[in-house]
Amino acid sequence: MTTLSRKRSQKAPYHHGDLRTAILQTAGKLLEEQGVATLSLREVARSAGVSHAAPYRHFADRDALLAALAGEGFARLSEALEAAGARGPRARGEAYVCFALEHRQRFRLMFGGLLRLDAHPGLRAAAARTYDGLVRAFAPLAGPQGAPFAAAAAWSLVHGLAQLLLDGHFPGSKRGERETAAFVRDVLAVVRFARAAQPSD
Amino acid sequence: MTTLSRKRSQKAPYHHGDLRTAILQTAGKLLEEQGVATLSLREVARSAGVSHAAPYRHFADRDALLAALAGEGFARLSEALEAAGARGPRARGEAYVCFALEHRQRFRLMFGGLLRLDAHPGLRAAAARTYDGLVRAFAPLAGPQGAPFAAAAAWSLVHGLAQLLLDGHFPGSKRGERETAAFVRDVLAVVRFARAAQPSD
DNA sequence: ACCTGAACACCGTTCAAGT
DNA sequence: ACCTGAACACCGTTCAAGT
């Protein structure tokens, strides 16, 4: 049943052309539906229509698949932040929270601590790009020596807000998208970043 | 066969007096050593010296044990925050980050999203006490109507900072306690909370 | 009341064997 | 090169049976 040479074989032969991509897609869908904890390699394989050993041709083990999914997540997050960042720092912050709320399980996988960044090449780099983007964005606002701290504070703020919203820790956070967006705006609006750090005691 | 009537039996009969507590302690130790992902009920039982089915007398399932561990965590976090809060809001924030760094896996369990707060009675209440303490602490600083937003912002800030530090997302965060504490101070020092929210566009 | 041992269905991982 | 099926050690959970 593939395009050029072969016509209507009964069963697809080995795979549908790119099993690695197919597995990542299937796993991504299952991840978002049910979370990391119950995401099994065997179910992914079943769902992709291959034997339970087939994924091992493309991923060293379950952790490697999870790391690939997290890597995709960091890349998409960076893209979303860069796109929104053009409309200013506040839009960037809101985009961060949006990403978390729209890809809940992916976000949890990225920051849940199941994956050690050091153990997976490329994953740390993908994560670092997110931070770099923030530092660049804050350089004009906080001055050269203040930028890393301001960027760290800003990232912490939106990251914590996203995480606590996901967990439902704020009273009344079960409301709709509209109300959540307003809550996010109001929380972010209350914060100011000082141009320079003060002596800390 | 209990304390009064029995002297030196060969083997302890059923358990060492309070299996529930023993399991919680063993599980807490194993959790901190190896993380949630690989914490198995069977290993806890083995490590506590009972059969693998014994824990089910005290916990409905693995999730219930994890929820109990998380509940302990929220209670201890609240205590630590109240104690430090007497020395001012900044000390409270630093105590939050300290707790996360000193109980890394417990903290991840509390906020990793493996447990749905609604599914475990008492867990949400324990978590809510943390937020309540923050709102009370921010009432004098941010005014009555600003307090919830300021408290949410403050919690988000220290929570995100803790989480990102745990994951090693800040360059150079592999240094010692001293340097980490200084970094935390500098990041927190850069943030100001406005008395009232401004129009958001 | 509290714990044990066997049993079941599932999983991650490996490996010889197939095409 | 890429995939399969059997196999192994492990796990969560249940349940009849022991004390």
Side-chain angles (χ1 to χ4, degrees):
Chain A
M1 293 277 294
T2 40
T3 46
L4 287 174
S5 56
R6 178 175 36 114
K7 310 192 170 185
R8 42 186 79 250
S9 68
Q10 322 280 48
K11 287 162 58 177
Y14 281 142
H15 55 69
H16 6 300
D18 188 354
L19 183 55
R20 186 173 201 279
T21 303
I23 286 177
L24 278 174
Q25 276 182 4
T26 303
K29 203 186 57 171
L30 291 174
L31 169 67
E32 210 54 55
E33 284 170 13
Q34 64 187 37
V36 231
T38 59
L39 178 67
S40 87
L41 221 39
R42 288 176 103 112
E43 187 187 6
V44 171
R46 228 152 32 219
S47 185
V50 293
S51 86
H52 62 262
Y56 286 88
R57 286 294 125 195
H58 302 280
F59 301 96
D61 52 22
R62 182 177 183 266
D63 257 30
L65 173 59
L66 296 183
L69 288 170
E72 283 185 347
F74 279 115
R76 292 177 194 175
L77 175 60
S78 291
E79 280 176 37
L81 294 184
E82 290 307 316
R87 304 199 313 278
R90 181 173 295 176
R92 189 186 295 259
E94 290 174 7
Y96 193 95
V97 178
C98 271
F99 180 90
L101 294 177
E102 284 171 7
H103 310 87
R104 306 172 68 90
Q105 301 296 340
R106 180 85 64 157
F107 187 81
R108 289 198 189 284
L109 172 62
M110 291 159 64
F111 294 103
L114 293 181
L115 267 19
R116 286 170 304 284
L117 290 188
D118 301 308
H120 302 279
L123 192 51
R124 171 170 297 284
R129 271 192 287 278
T130 305
Y131 184 57
D132 291 343
L134 281 170
V135 174
R136 275 197 304 275
F138 270 88
L141 286 129
Q145 82 275 56
F149 298 122
W155 192 10
S156 297
L157 177 68
V158 293
H159 183 77
L161 182 54
Q163 181 104 7
L164 296 172
L165 276 172
L166 281 187
D167 284 14
H169 274 297
F170 298 118
S173 58
K174 298 182 207 175
R175 290 174 249 166
E177 285 186 31
R178 208 60 64 81
E179 289 89 343
T180 302
F183 181 76
V184 169
R185 265 202 315 275
D186 289 340
V187 170
L188 295 184
V190 104
V191 175
R192 300 282 176 275
F193 297 98
R195 280 198 78 80
Q198 296 187 341
S200 49
D201 47 356
Chain B
M1 322 233 310
T2 37
T3 45
L4 286 177
S5 57
R6 173 181 42 113
K7 311 193 171 185
R8 42 186 81 251
S9 67
Q10 323 278 51
K11 287 163 55 176
Y14 283 142
H15 56 71
H16 6 300
D18 187 354
L19 183 55
R20 185 172 201 280
T21 303
I23 285 177
L24 277 174
Q25 275 181 4
T26 303
K29 205 186 55 169
L30 291 175
L31 169 66
E32 211 53 57
E33 284 170 11
Q34 64 187 38
V36 231
T38 58
L39 179 67
S40 85
L41 220 40
R42 287 176 105 112
E43 186 187 7
V44 171
R46 228 152 32 218
S47 185
V50 293
S51 86
H52 62 260
Y56 286 88
R57 286 295 122 195
H58 302 282
F59 301 95
D61 51 22
R62 183 176 182 266
D63 256 30
L65 172 59
L66 295 183
L69 288 171
E72 282 185 348
F74 281 115
R76 292 177 194 175
L77 175 59
S78 291
E79 280 176 38
L81 294 183
E82 289 308 315
R87 306 198 311 279
R90 181 172 295 176
R92 189 185 296 255
E94 289 173 5
Y96 192 96
V97 178
C98 271
F99 180 90
L101 293 176
E102 283 171 8
H103 310 87
R104 306 172 69 89
Q105 302 296 341
R106 180 86 63 156
F107 188 81
R108 289 199 189 285
L109 172 62
M110 291 158 63
F111 294 102
L114 293 181
L115 268 20
R116 286 171 302 285
L117 290 187
D118 301 307
H120 302 278
L123 192 51
R124 171 171 296 285
R129 271 192 287 277
T130 305
Y131 184 57
D132 290 344
L134 280 170
V135 174
R136 275 196 304 276
F138 271 87
L141 286 130
Q145 83 274 56
F149 298 121
W155 191 9
S156 298
L157 177 69
V158 294
H159 183 78
L161 182 54
Q163 181 104 9
L164 295 172
L165 275 172
L166 281 186
D167 284 13
H169 275 297
F170 298 119
S173 58
K174 300 181 204 173
R175 289 174 249 167
E177 285 185 31
R178 208 63 63 80
E179 289 89 344
T180 302
F183 181 76
V184 169
R185 265 201 316 276
D186 290 339
V187 170
L188 296 184
V190 104
V191 175
R192 301 280 176 274
F193 297 97
R195 278 199 78 82
Q198 295 185 339
S200 49
D201 46 357

